[in-house]
Amino acid sequence: MSRTPTWGPLSPGRSEHPAGRAEKKGGRSRVTRGLPDRFCGGRRSGSATGSWPLARGGRGAGGCSGARLHEVLLAELRAAGLLDMDDASIDASHVRALKRGAHTGPSPVDRARPGSKHHLIVDRHGTPLVVSLTSGNRHDVTQLMPLLDAMPRIRGLRGRPRHRPRRLFADRGYDFDKYRRQIRTRGITPKIARRGKPHGSGLAKTRWVVERTFAWLHQFKRRLRIRYEIRADLHLGLLQLACSIICLRRLRTSF
């Protein structure tokens, strides 16, 4: 039985998931198609003048960097009641790196070929909250605390900005008592599967959304499913931009 999408009813003529289609449309690259023109240098152009200024961490005509754009969209989602930060999930995904460069290393799951890892925290509905990039041979748990500490302070409602979930779900790769204690000191309840215990804990009923978000991110095929950039900051910028597009499309299709 198929699941009902959590991002609301679809608009006529739109793709069936927030990652969108792979091809170009109307002169806009797949990475920047969902963004207003002011975030893409003010022109409907390809990636050379559209997505790359934001990917480099610079500011375009809209005065907004890739990370800042993501934070603004998260605030809009929270104001609309579309962000559920009580439950968050974390996971990592490996991608092959064809040109090596910074944050690449021999992958333990790809015959020691050079690769990188995408590390991601999402909310209860799979909305990306924060993303990072490491070499392919780094253990997933090494990015657990840095990702939690890097979560932006999300505004959108009256009161203090929200930047911590109440519960954090993770698979057995994060099962270390040291990190459980560090998570608790931040006021977060760890929901991490135990190694050596039989499957069936029920945690996957909440954690599966992070896998779906990775599938959305990797639908931006040419740049995110395989890493072509030598510079790590460019690839991370494209990851942040893709997260912003997923947030924007969820916001648009919910009205």
Side-chain angles (χ1 to χ4, degrees):
M1 183 176 67
S2 60
R3 293 185 177 91
T4 302
T6 59
W7 55 86
L10 299 175
S11 301
R14 293 192 62 84
S15 173
E16 293 186 355
H17 54 72
R21 290 182 174 271
E23 74 276 5
K24 290 186 179 181
K25 182 178 180 181
R28 179 72 70 83
S29 73
R30 72 174 70 87
V31 179
T32 59
R33 189 189 316 147
L35 298 177
D37 289 346
R38 64 180 180 275
F39 294 130
C40 304
R43 304 190 323 183
R44 291 189 173 273
S45 56
S47 61
T49 57
S51 60
W52 284 109
L54 288 175
R56 288 195 297 266
R59 297 177 179 270
C64 190
S65 67
R68 174 60 180 159
L69 174 62
H70 186 203
E71 185 177 342
V72 169
L73 290 170
L74 287 174
E76 292 292 330
L77 285 170
R78 189 181 179 211
L82 300 174
L83 201 64
D84 186 352
M85 292 184 62
D86 286 345
D87 294 336
S89 301
I90 184 173
D91 207 350
S93 177
H94 174 269
V95 294
R96 185 176 297 180
L98 295 186
K99 297 183 180 180
R100 299 182 182 272
H103 294 311
T104 62
S107 171
V109 297
D110 195 16
R111 301 180 183 179
R113 293 170 178 164
S116 299
K117 271 188 178 180
H118 300 161
H119 303 263
L120 182 68
I121 293 181
V122 302
D123 80 336
R124 179 63 182 265
H125 304 299
T127 304
L129 300 176
V130 62
V131 67
S132 69
L133 176 71
T134 65
S135 58
N137 57 344
R138 293 291 299 276
H139 198 288
D140 294 356
V141 78
T142 61
Q143 291 301 297
L144 174 56
M145 305 317 298
L147 270 181
L148 281 177
D149 293 339
M151 287 185 62
R153 295 182 178 272
I154 303 172
R155 303 179 182 275
L157 295 178
R158 182 176 297 178
R160 293 183 178 180
R162 185 80 180 271
H163 71 288
R164 295 278 168 79
R166 291 184 180 177
R167 294 170 292 272
L168 182 67
F169 291 78
D171 59 24
R172 288 169 172 80
Y174 298 87
D175 182 23
F176 293 88
D177 290 338
K178 167 187 173 181
Y179 292 101
R180 289 176 184 270
R181 290 192 296 268
Q182 293 184 27
I183 292 173
R184 289 192 179 97
T185 60
R186 286 163 171 78
I188 303 171
T189 302
K191 298 289 185 178
I192 304 175
R194 291 283 186 180
R195 287 176 291 182
K197 296 293 182 68
H199 293 273
S201 63
L203 298 179
K205 294 179 181 179
T206 303
R207 202 180 62 238
W208 70 273
V209 293
V210 69
E211 302 287 351
R212 183 184 63 181
T213 304
F214 274 124
W216 290 343
L217 287 174
H218 294 167
Q219 288 298 319
F220 299 98
K221 294 181 180 179
R222 184 173 182 272
R223 290 297 175 185
L224 296 183
R225 182 177 294 180
I226 297 176
R227 177 180 167 182
Y228 292 88
E229 297 78 23
I230 296 177
R231 287 174 49 184
D233 60 328
L234 289 180
H235 190 76
L236 178 59
L238 291 172
L239 270 176
Q240 293 170 338
L241 188 55
C243 290
S244 298
I245 293 175
I246 291 174
C247 292
L248 178 65
R249 289 180 178 169
R250 184 164 191 270
L251 187 63
R252 284 182 169 179
T253 56
S254 298
F255 293 100

